[in-house]
Amino acid sequence: MIFFNWIAENQQIIYIVILMIFVGIEVIGHVPGVLHTPLMSGANAIHGVVVIGAIIVTGRAATDNYLALILGFLAVVVGTLNVVGGFVVTDRMLEMFRRRKSNL
Amino acid sequence: MNLLILCYILSSVTFIVGLKMLSGPATARKGNLVAAAGMALAILGTLFLYRDEEGNGLGNLPWISGAMALGAVIGVVAARKVKMTAMPEMVSMFNGMGGLCAALISVVEFDHFRRHSIVVIEGATGTGTMIPVGPLIIILLGMIIGSVSFTGSMIAWGKLNGKIRDRTFRGQHLLSLLILLAIVAVAVCLLFCFAPSQMGVLFYLVFALALLYGVLFVLPVGGADMPVVISLLNSFTGVAAACGGFLYQNMAMLTGGILVGAAGTLLTILMCRAMNRSLVNVLIGSFGGNQAKIAGGTEQRTVKEVSIPDAAVVMGYAGRVLIVPGYGLAVAQAQHACHELEKLLENRGVEVQYAIHPVAGRMPGHMNVLLAEADVPYEKLLEMERANELFPQTDVVLVLGANDVVNPAAKTDPSSPIYGMPVLEVELAKMVIVNKRSMKPGYAGIENALFFSSKTSMLFGDAKKVLQDLVTALKSI
């Protein structure tokens, strides 16, 4: 019963999850081999969206709850590192590919 | 709040469009920027527009902005400074940071949950507690997946930059399996069996076990196979991020996370397929290799060595030389020395080209990027089919730290783990010079009959050192 209630309460999210799985597979289905690494790096940057959760958790912590503040601070640092570093490193990789093409 | 929902919808669309554009060569760079713009929108929107259930905005903004500034500075500096050859380990490090972020969110949320979400019911038969299981499952999932991704990525990072060696011991896979079962068992206990006072202990026990599992998960995988594992851990982090999205009912996190989780899983499978190996085979790591080595290593065979001056003379007077770069070239950072040798040979009238195997270096496109960095002209890089046509008319093939991609067993030996993988048919050339650091088998852990062929001469040593010596020797002819 609990299980069915849970499904009923979260049905929209469950639909989104299912559809997104198919979108994710469909979207990169025809990627050529040379782009595997930049694509992995780009996807790596996108899951950095987890930093939003870190921002929310830090922003909601009580101002005297130092454990939450310190862990939240750390989470925002590493999350931002994931996002910013991920996009910059992907851009650098793809820049290499463009330069290679301009040599033609 | 409504404006924030619009921000999240827009950024979800940019993630999908960005990922789509990233998978086409012409649009890839723009796609990365599109996704980055969507990310900026989602983050800034959260920062300024987020309201909790009571309509309050986010507090502790100095903490948050300080942390973001710090993370951004480290991220830009690290990403700008990293050498092209070290790209995969950088990606792994960033991926680990994302996993750690997800795990930390769960730790803080658990602490909050323990204090506020447990309802004590006082009835006629005594007091009992009501624990909302749904959110707790999500918190646990995010924590476990995030932790595995964090320590796993850190091990992958250490292996790729040579700080951590491949370690296998008897019963390692059994131990990993037991730890995985323990994680599930303790997590289930936490959900159903115990009183709130014991929840903390169990939670941190699961945390510790998950961190340990990440280490054991990646340790047995060979160094050259790391990109596949990083891709897999990448999709793990995506799922961990999606757990956060579930917890906060945050659609940007949910769509972004699931999208990466699904695309990352497919990408992992595609990468394995390019190497003609199964994911299980990759994850079990050295195991398959050991068996193959026993099967192939029964007969004693000898290899022929060649000296640097002799090798220089042979190449200096050849009509056509094809260079086959591999992982060893990348590890030794020898691309510039290689380009120098190529120019020197060209000046002597030797035709020099590169034969690029699609998974040379076990990272698709690795060799193209590496040689482009050393300014090797693009038209000198031959794809496998074209190179295979040219080998019969080639005087000397110089194999630089490549092994499995030139192993004839892939065509001739159905029992070989790499049987069926397309390889460069270097044995068709008149002479093959193989540079390796030692006779150790390549990544797949199998013997290579090429090294024992009468056409083959071995040139042992670090690729960079050998190439520099060849350049010196060639100048003095």
Side-chain angles (χ1 to χ4, degrees):
Chain A
M1 273 316 287
I2 295 176
F3 178 68
F4 289 110
N5 287 339
W6 182 83
I7 288 192
E9 278 166 26
N10 295 290
Q11 63 161 317
Q12 278 161 332
I13 286 190
I14 294 167
Y15 274 110
I16 291 174
V17 168
I18 294 167
L19 291 175
M20 271 299 149
I21 290 173
F22 282 95
V23 169
I25 291 172
E26 194 54 42
V27 145
I28 67 145
H30 305 286
V31 60
V34 284
L35 280 177
H36 281 176
T37 308
L39 182 64
M40 175 173 88
S41 179
N44 172 47
I46 290 175
H47 70 49
V49 73
V50 69
V51 73
I52 290 179
I55 291 172
I56 295 175
V57 106
T58 314
R60 283 166 48 148
T63 41
D64 57 350
N65 183 353
Y66 288 104
L67 178 76
L69 278 179
I70 289 168
L71 292 180
F73 179 84
L74 195 59
V76 175
V77 172
V78 294
T80 314
L81 189 64
N82 184 189
V83 171
V84 175
F87 281 120
V88 173
V89 112
T90 311
D91 191 59
R92 269 194 67 197
M93 274 185 211
L94 293 167
E95 191 181 32
M96 280 296 181
F97 279 83
R98 206 185 51 160
R99 204 182 74 185
R100 197 193 73 189
K101 283 221 172 83
S102 67
N103 282 341
L104 270 170
Chain B
M1 194 66 197
N2 290 333
L3 192 55
L4 183 59
I5 291 173
L6 183 64
C7 286
Y8 285 161
I9 290 174
L10 286 176
S11 54
S12 296
V13 173
T14 65
F15 293 160
I16 298 169
V17 173
L19 214 50
K20 176 81 196 160
M21 289 168 81
L22 266 168
S23 56
T27 51
R29 203 170 175 204
K30 232 182 255 168
N32 186 48
L33 293 178
V34 167
M39 185 68 76
L41 182 69
I43 292 175
L44 292 177
T46 309
L47 221 42
F48 296 112
L49 301 171
Y50 181 85
R51 297 285 177 274
D52 66 12
E53 296 81 12
E54 282 112 48
N56 301 315
L58 290 173
N60 307 316
L61 282 177
W63 287 78
I64 297 173
S65 43
M68 285 181 65
L70 187 60
V73 169
I74 301 173
V76 169
V77 171
R80 286 254 151 241
K81 283 225 165 133
V82 63
K83 288 204 170 67
M84 267 336 246
T85 42
M87 283 297 180
E89 63 204 60
M90 201 75 233
V91 174
S92 181
M93 208 274 274
F94 291 143
N95 182 48
M97 292 300 112
L100 178 62
C101 183
L104 287 174
I105 292 170
S106 281
V107 171
V108 178
E109 278 301 324
F110 174 74
D111 194 53
H112 187 263
F113 176 88
R114 192 166 49 152
R115 284 193 236 174
H116 301 284
S117 301
I118 296 166
V119 188
V120 179
I121 307 159
E122 294 197 41
T125 52
T127 54
T129 50
M130 244 270 291
I131 301 170
V133 176
L136 190 55
I137 292 178
I138 301 295
I139 291 174
L140 270 171
L141 264 184
M143 186 272 283
I144 294 168
I145 301 172
S147 305
V148 171
S149 180
F150 167 55
T151 50
S153 299
M154 288 299 112
I155 296 291
W157 172 73
K159 278 195 161 193
L160 278 175
N161 65 22
K163 288 197 178 85
I164 300 169
R165 307 211 144 271
D166 296 357
R167 284 232 176 81
T168 44
F169 51 86
R170 200 175 267 276
Q172 187 164 7
H173 297 289
L174 189 66
L175 182 66
S176 307
L177 193 66
L178 286 177
I179 289 177
L180 190 61
L181 289 175
I183 290 172
V184 175
V186 179
V188 170
C189 277
L190 176 54
L191 290 174
F192 297 111
C193 315
F194 283 87
S197 58
Q198 285 158 310
M199 280 174 75
V201 181
L202 290 174
F203 183 84
Y204 291 109
L205 182 61
V206 177
F207 191 25
L209 285 172
L211 290 171
L212 182 63
Y213 183 75
V215 173
L216 288 171
F217 181 70
V218 178
L219 258 189
V221 179
D225 248 355
M226 277 307 146
V228 175
V229 175
I230 295 170
S231 176
L232 186 65
L233 292 173
N234 192 26
S235 63
F236 281 11
T237 312
V239 176
C243 289
F246 215 130
L247 194 62
Y248 297 118
Q249 307 278 308
N250 183 311
M251 292 308 140
M253 284 173 80
L254 188 76
T255 51
I258 293 289
L259 196 61
V260 174
T265 307
L266 178 65
L267 186 59
T268 311
I269 294 167
L270 288 178
M271 281 175 150
C272 287
R273 208 178 284 163
M275 300 189 298
N276 197 41
R277 301 185 54 201
S278 71
L279 185 56
V280 177
N281 191 322
V282 169
L283 293 181
I284 289 176
S286 58
F287 250 49
N290 284 343
Q291 283 157 357
K293 213 162 35 183
I294 295 162
T298 42
E299 47 181 318
Q300 281 284 328
R301 289 179 292 184
T302 50
V303 294
K304 195 166 62 188
E305 275 194 66
V306 63
S307 70
I308 296 274
D310 287 351
V313 168
V314 172
M315 284 195 285
Y317 291 99
R320 186 203 302 277
V321 173
L322 277 178
I323 300 177
V324 179
Y327 189 63
L329 180 93
V331 171
Q333 303 246 15
Q335 64 272 33
H336 292 282
C338 189
H339 183 47
E340 210 185 331
L341 178 76
E342 165 218 317
K343 279 190 295 189
L344 217 59
L345 286 170
E346 290 262 296
N347 290 342
R348 295 180 56 95
V350 184
E351 198 181 326
V352 187
Q353 278 153 321
Y354 294 83
I356 310 289
H357 191 279
V359 296
R362 298 263 173 193
M363 171 180 149
H366 200 174
M367 293 300 135
N368 304 59
V369 173
L370 211 61
L371 293 169
E373 197 202 1
D375 286 322
V376 173
Y378 180 55
E379 58 269 28
K380 282 200 170 298
L381 309 183
L382 303 180
E383 289 187 13
M384 182 166 56
E385 291 77 20
R386 178 83 190 104
N388 279 342
E389 287 167 17
L390 273 182
F391 281 126
Q393 302 131 46
T394 301
D395 299 298
V396 183
V397 173
L398 178 63
V399 179
L400 294 169
N403 188 346
D404 297 331
V405 297
V406 294
N407 194 338
K411 284 177 303 175
T412 55
D413 179 7
S415 70
S416 170
I418 59 166
Y419 182 72
M421 179 172 92
V423 287
L424 289 163
E425 296 160 357
V426 295
E427 70 279 4
L428 298 178
K430 294 198 184 73
M431 181 182 178
V432 183
I433 298 176
V434 178
N435 165 244
K436 271 171 75 51
R437 270 179 299 187
S438 68
M439 271 315 282
K440 246 179 71 178
Y443 168 66
I446 44 176
E447 290 279 0
N448 192 336
L450 177 74
F451 304 154
F452 305 101
S453 153
S454 57
K455 277 182 185 173
T456 308
S457 305
M458 304 298 291
L459 197 54
F460 290 114
D462 174 76
K464 192 174 184 176
K465 174 88 173 45
V466 164
L467 283 167
Q468 283 164 346
D469 291 348
L470 277 175
V471 166
T472 317
L474 209 56
K475 278 180 182 157
S476 65
I477 307 179

